[in-house]
Amino acid sequence: MRKVIVFSLLVVPPLLLLFWDSPPKEVLVRLRLPELLLSFGFGGSLAAAGGVFQGVLKNPLAEPYTLGSAAGAALGASVASVSGFPVEWGALSGGLGAVLLILFAFKLFSDPLSVLLFGVGLTAFFSALILFLYALFPVYTLQEALLFTLGYITPVSLTLALTLFLLSLLFTVFLLKRSKSLDLLSLGDETAFFSGVDPQKERLFLLVLSSVPVSLFVAYCGVVGFVGIVVPHAVRFLGFRRGTLLIPVSFAVGGGALTFSQWVARTVLYPTVLPAGVVTAILGVPLFLYILWRYTGVRG
Amino acid sequence: MKRVFFVFFWFFLLSLSVFGFDRVVSLSPALTDIVAYVGAGKKLVGVTVFCSGSVCRGKERVGGIVNPNLEKIYSLHPDLVIATTMTPKRDIEALKRLGLKVLVFRLVSLEDVVNATGKLGELLSGDEDEGRELLRRIREGALPLSRCLKGKRVVVVISSRPLYVAGSRSYLGEILTMAGAEVLPDTTFSAISYEALVRLKPDLVIFVGRGEFHPPGNFKVVRVAPSDDLLHPSPRILRGVEEIRRAICGR
Amino acid sequence: MLEVRELSYGILKGVSFTVPDGKIVGVVGRNGAGKTTLLKCLGGFYSYLGSVKVSGREVRELPPEERVKRVNYLPQDFYHPFPFTVYEFLSSTTGKRGSEVEEVLESLGILKFKERLLNSLSGGEKVKVHIARLLLVDPEIYLLDEPVAYLDVSVVPFIGRLVRELSKRGKTVLITSHDVGFLYSLCNLFLGLREGELSLFGDGRELLERSREIFGVELKAFECNGETFIKTV
């Protein structure tokens, strides 16, 4: 049963995105295929990273969006694009810089809620800096900055989309090789240490590995929220609890979820195109609140 | 050999002007106005969701200015897509990858509007003088304004909340400068504070925005009903200038 | 053999002692005296100053796979926000599977929880699951941090029997607890900490004699029907 659910989440959204309205071949190859690769790879990376962030920080509400590493990547990409550097490098340094800040907060604060609030602050700060930057350089319009902070997927060239997609797959395989550490860290640093892994090192390693593909996608699609938080919980709920299953299934379901959101974003108000991040927020926030309620209930 | 080449070249140019650009998609309401002005409105096959004029009646809608629907545009098989710098580069590039011809215009200063009009006139109706003609008509329209604006310090407010002004380097500011006004501040379009507005010490504030505007100082405010005639950087400004004249010089 | 020389970390200041194999050591002290810190240092969890040697090898320098088999630790923190079944927990922490896991669960009387989610268990049941992890690893030195804090009285003697069996097999066990009576009846050696300094290392008689120094109150032992009770005076 659960395999059927995962399989349909994996297959139906891509088919919908590709073949809805039976597009001409040119549109299929040059617009929809890159769009699918972008949204599936981005959604998959976000969900896998969400699972990793939650596990290694032992925080059910963690993901690149809530903790500010996605916003960091977006800021880095914006800085790079106004100063003429490649956006990928900007996004990578922004995203990984934010990861270091998160690790610092994790050491500083002992409870998950404080770390989460730190992330909320970080996100607000980075988003404000992005808007400031766009106000500073009038070549960029404010609407563009808004779309960027809301997660707006525009098809890129097929080569670029394919490269990004393959990179996201590659990094998911790297994560998969480290899945044992993810399981152990999610049981607490002490249990992890006394089961033979170095918690500090593995945490840094896993956070960096999962943030690289997310940052690269953010450079092209902006910040998309709630996929990273909702999908791993849903996947665990379906019984894929251990890293060896959690990571690949999250990637598949997250990819399907963002692909579906992008399809909705393009279809629901046709011909107006919505930012995909708006759709994921509308669909994801109720589930997010449910998770919040459930976990505070368990702890209290 | 050279002669053969020239024959081909001329034939190529001719074929361009005769057969080229019959299906145009516009990603900007102002550009749509320009196309209508140069008499090529029926060549438009796609316009944005914001277009409300008669030229857009019955035309396909292709999404917004910053979020156009690329598939919809492609499905109309346009031979030319025109956009402003407001449309994100990524969308422009995606359209080019689809093999579409895309022209991007900057529409901020009067010169921009005139050049765009000239270029689109040349491309779509074969008339190279549309731009110069437009500039002449705008000058003509601005002249009667000088009676009531000459030597006055003027600020053009296009939104009160936040306070957003069209400065001396915007098309609106340049037209008022033609009429002898001293337009402030020296900018294109920008958000300024109410305090900055007071410090500019304007003799006259022209408010063309929607909603309320409570002037923060003791200066004269003239309201001009906000309309696309004023806010589109396009030939509609001709009517806009007339609206300003009626509001300021009045009766 | 566990040899500790001039161990300092956090509140701990220059702690030195030696425990021969097979001893059961009760680690006592008031709240914040450094009991948990000491146990974690002995396991190599913190980068301490000084030296902690297990069978002649420095704990911090052991490769992780070997370290966990020499010395292992029962944590106090049982917050598990993510769903894991008991079996999944034990197999991913120890690498052991199948009948081996089941036998240990059976010996602790929690085989019925094998497929239950860890975060649906009660505090006492969680402690047992964590003890099962230690038994599966079966290190030379067991560090048990408050093993009876969450358990109801019916289970406490069971833990006592378990620890005695370990000691009989030549394992060294260090236990912290606020239940001095429980430790008094179980341990051969006592290690008293006072504000991070070693203030006692000796047998039960010494513990009672120096109790005022360690706890701030005097403790006395009473015999009743062959059982020993500890009371504050």
Side-chain angles (χ1 to χ4, degrees), chain A residues 2 37 46 58 71 90 104-105 135 146 151-152 158 166 207 267 270 293:
Chain A
R2 56 183 201 160
L37 291 170
L46 276 172
K58 222 181 160 192
F104 172 71
L146 276 177
Y152 183 73
L158 191 56
L166 290 179
L207 284 178
T267 316
Y270 188 84
W293 169 75

mmCIF file of all heavy atoms in Angstrom, chain A residues 2 37 46 58 71 90 104-105 135 146 151-152 158 166 207 267 270 293:
data_model
loop_
_atom_site.group_PDB
_atom_site.id
_atom_site.type_symbol
_atom_site.label_atom_id
_atom_site.label_comp_id
_atom_site.label_asym_id
_atom_site.label_seq_id
_atom_site.Cartn_x
_atom_site.Cartn_y
_atom_site.Cartn_z
ATOM 1 N N ARG A 2 1.822 1.328 0.985
ATOM 2 C CA ARG A 2 2.654 2.531 1.076
ATOM 3 C C ARG A 2 3.550 2.658 -0.147
ATOM 4 O O ARG A 2 3.869 3.752 -0.585
ATOM 5 C CB ARG A 2 3.475 2.514 2.359
ATOM 6 C CG ARG A 2 4.319 1.264 2.485
ATOM 7 C CD ARG A 2 5.077 1.223 3.800
ATOM 8 N NE ARG A 2 6.204 0.311 3.632
ATOM 9 C CZ ARG A 2 7.276 0.296 4.394
ATOM 10 N NH1 ARG A 2 7.392 1.145 5.375
ATOM 11 N NH2 ARG A 2 8.245 -0.549 4.176
ATOM 12 N N LEU A 37 12.847 18.853 -14.659
ATOM 13 C CA LEU A 37 14.127 18.524 -14.033
ATOM 14 C C LEU A 37 14.421 19.481 -12.885
ATOM 15 O O LEU A 37 14.889 19.071 -11.819
ATOM 16 C CB LEU A 37 15.253 18.576 -15.068
ATOM 17 C CG LEU A 37 15.210 17.479 -16.130
ATOM 18 C CD1 LEU A 37 16.205 17.750 -17.235
ATOM 19 C CD2 LEU A 37 15.476 16.120 -15.491
ATOM 20 N N LEU A 46 15.367 19.385 -1.535
ATOM 21 C CA LEU A 46 14.797 20.040 -0.350
ATOM 22 C C LEU A 46 14.314 19.018 0.663
ATOM 23 O O LEU A 46 14.578 19.144 1.868
ATOM 24 C CB LEU A 46 13.628 20.937 -0.757
ATOM 25 C CG LEU A 46 13.953 22.340 -1.233
ATOM 26 C CD1 LEU A 46 12.693 22.994 -1.779
ATOM 27 C CD2 LEU A 46 14.522 23.171 -0.094
ATOM 28 N N LYS A 58 18.266 17.107 15.526
ATOM 29 C CA LYS A 58 17.267 16.524 16.425
ATOM 30 C C LYS A 58 16.105 17.486 16.637
ATOM 31 O O LYS A 58 15.682 17.748 17.747
ATOM 32 C CB LYS A 58 17.933 16.198 17.775
ATOM 33 C CG LYS A 58 17.501 14.852 18.336
ATOM 34 C CD LYS A 58 18.152 14.596 19.671
ATOM 35 C CE LYS A 58 17.398 13.550 20.449
ATOM 36 N NZ LYS A 58 17.821 13.475 21.833
ATOM 37 N N ALA A 71 17.574 30.949 2.478
ATOM 38 C CA ALA A 71 17.620 32.404 2.324
ATOM 39 C C ALA A 71 19.064 32.876 2.184
ATOM 40 O O ALA A 71 19.354 33.808 1.434
ATOM 41 C CB ALA A 71 16.944 33.081 3.510
ATOM 42 N N GLY A 90 28.010 32.169 -5.621
ATOM 43 C CA GLY A 90 27.380 33.029 -4.618
ATOM 44 C C GLY A 90 26.418 32.238 -3.752
ATOM 45 O O GLY A 90 26.457 32.308 -2.521
ATOM 46 N N PHE A 104 26.460 27.022 14.791
ATOM 47 C CA PHE A 104 26.830 27.863 15.930
ATOM 48 C C PHE A 104 25.634 28.001 16.874
ATOM 49 O O PHE A 104 25.760 27.827 18.092
ATOM 50 C CB PHE A 104 27.285 29.224 15.404
ATOM 51 C CG PHE A 104 27.515 30.241 16.459
ATOM 52 C CD1 PHE A 104 28.603 30.135 17.311
ATOM 53 C CD2 PHE A 104 26.656 31.315 16.597
ATOM 54 C CE1 PHE A 104 28.818 31.078 18.288
ATOM 55 C CE2 PHE A 104 26.860 32.258 17.576
ATOM 56 C CZ PHE A 104 27.941 32.145 18.424
ATOM 57 N N ALA A 105 24.453 28.267 16.291
ATOM 58 C CA ALA A 105 23.242 28.401 17.109
ATOM 59 C C ALA A 105 22.931 27.089 17.821
ATOM 60 O O ALA A 105 22.497 27.080 18.972
ATOM 61 C CB ALA A 105 22.065 28.816 16.233
ATOM 62 N N ALA A 135 16.933 47.186 -4.118
ATOM 63 C CA ALA A 135 16.623 48.617 -4.095
ATOM 64 C C ALA A 135 17.862 49.423 -4.464
ATOM 65 O O ALA A 135 17.786 50.483 -5.064
ATOM 66 C CB ALA A 135 16.115 49.011 -2.715
ATOM 67 N N LEU A 146 10.983 39.880 -5.250
ATOM 68 C CA LEU A 146 9.876 39.212 -4.564
ATOM 69 C C LEU A 146 9.699 37.792 -5.075
ATOM 70 O O LEU A 146 9.568 36.854 -4.307
ATOM 71 C CB LEU A 146 8.580 40.007 -4.768
ATOM 72 C CG LEU A 146 8.390 41.144 -3.785
ATOM 73 C CD1 LEU A 146 7.117 41.900 -4.115
ATOM 74 C CD2 LEU A 146 8.323 40.599 -2.361
ATOM 75 N N GLY A 151 10.171 31.863 -4.522
ATOM 76 C CA GLY A 151 10.393 30.610 -5.238
ATOM 77 C C GLY A 151 9.634 30.532 -6.544
ATOM 78 O O GLY A 151 8.517 30.032 -6.609
ATOM 79 N N TYR A 152 10.241 31.073 -7.590
ATOM 80 C CA TYR A 152 9.582 31.143 -8.884
ATOM 81 C C TYR A 152 10.410 30.352 -9.880
ATOM 82 O O TYR A 152 11.576 30.659 -10.121
ATOM 83 C CB TYR A 152 9.478 32.610 -9.306
ATOM 84 C CG TYR A 152 8.757 32.858 -10.598
ATOM 85 C CD1 TYR A 152 7.376 32.735 -10.667
ATOM 86 C CD2 TYR A 152 9.448 33.221 -11.732
ATOM 87 C CE1 TYR A 152 6.709 32.970 -11.842
ATOM 88 C CE2 TYR A 152 8.787 33.465 -12.927
ATOM 89 C CZ TYR A 152 7.420 33.342 -12.974
ATOM 90 O OH TYR A 152 6.754 33.573 -14.143
ATOM 91 N N LEU A 158 18.087 23.128 -21.252
ATOM 92 C CA LEU A 158 17.986 21.708 -20.932
ATOM 93 C C LEU A 158 19.296 21.191 -20.337
ATOM 94 O O LEU A 158 19.298 20.415 -19.378
ATOM 95 C CB LEU A 158 17.628 20.926 -22.203
ATOM 96 C CG LEU A 158 17.233 19.465 -21.989
ATOM 97 C CD1 LEU A 158 16.073 19.367 -21.020
ATOM 98 C CD2 LEU A 158 16.870 18.827 -23.307
ATOM 99 N N LEU A 166 21.242 15.963 -12.197
ATOM 100 C CA LEU A 166 22.202 14.878 -11.944
ATOM 101 C C LEU A 166 23.019 15.174 -10.683
ATOM 102 O O LEU A 166 23.305 14.269 -9.895
ATOM 103 C CB LEU A 166 23.121 14.701 -13.149
ATOM 104 C CG LEU A 166 22.414 14.111 -14.380
ATOM 105 C CD1 LEU A 166 23.379 13.996 -15.545
ATOM 106 C CD2 LEU A 166 21.806 12.749 -14.054
ATOM 107 N N LEU A 207 25.155 18.175 6.963
ATOM 108 C CA LEU A 207 24.508 19.457 6.663
ATOM 109 C C LEU A 207 25.075 20.046 5.375
ATOM 110 O O LEU A 207 24.342 20.534 4.521
ATOM 111 C CB LEU A 207 24.710 20.445 7.819
ATOM 112 C CG LEU A 207 23.852 20.219 9.062
ATOM 113 C CD1 LEU A 207 24.202 21.231 10.135
ATOM 114 C CD2 LEU A 207 22.373 20.318 8.724
ATOM 115 N N THR A 267 -1.081 26.206 -13.780
ATOM 116 C CA THR A 267 -2.367 25.838 -14.349
ATOM 117 C C THR A 267 -3.547 26.553 -13.702
ATOM 118 O O THR A 267 -4.502 26.924 -14.376
ATOM 119 C CB THR A 267 -2.591 24.312 -14.199
ATOM 120 O OG1 THR A 267 -1.391 23.654 -14.545
ATOM 121 C CG2 THR A 267 -3.708 23.843 -15.091
ATOM 122 N N TYR A 270 -4.411 30.066 -15.046
ATOM 123 C CA TYR A 270 -3.983 30.188 -16.428
ATOM 124 C C TYR A 270 -4.591 31.430 -17.080
ATOM 125 O O TYR A 270 -5.792 31.651 -16.920
ATOM 126 C CB TYR A 270 -4.407 28.924 -17.192
ATOM 127 C CG TYR A 270 -3.850 28.837 -18.581
ATOM 128 C CD1 TYR A 270 -2.587 28.334 -18.800
ATOM 129 C CD2 TYR A 270 -4.596 29.287 -19.668
ATOM 130 C CE1 TYR A 270 -2.066 28.261 -20.077
ATOM 131 C CE2 TYR A 270 -4.079 29.223 -20.946
ATOM 132 C CZ TYR A 270 -2.806 28.713 -21.147
ATOM 133 O OH TYR A 270 -2.283 28.651 -22.406
ATOM 134 N N TRP A 293 1.890 20.937 16.105
ATOM 135 C CA TRP A 293 0.981 20.588 17.187
ATOM 136 C C TRP A 293 1.330 19.218 17.747
ATOM 137 O O TRP A 293 1.390 19.009 18.950
ATOM 138 C CB TRP A 293 -0.452 20.613 16.655
ATOM 139 C CG TRP A 293 -1.452 20.026 17.589
ATOM 140 C CD1 TRP A 293 -1.934 20.601 18.728
ATOM 141 C CD2 TRP A 293 -2.069 18.751 17.491
ATOM 142 N NE1 TRP A 293 -2.813 19.763 19.337
ATOM 143 C CE2 TRP A 293 -2.924 18.613 18.608
ATOM 144 C CE3 TRP A 293 -1.992 17.708 16.573
ATOM 145 C CZ2 TRP A 293 -3.691 17.480 18.815
ATOM 146 C CZ3 TRP A 293 -2.747 16.574 16.781
ATOM 147 C CH2 TRP A 293 -3.588 16.469 17.892
#
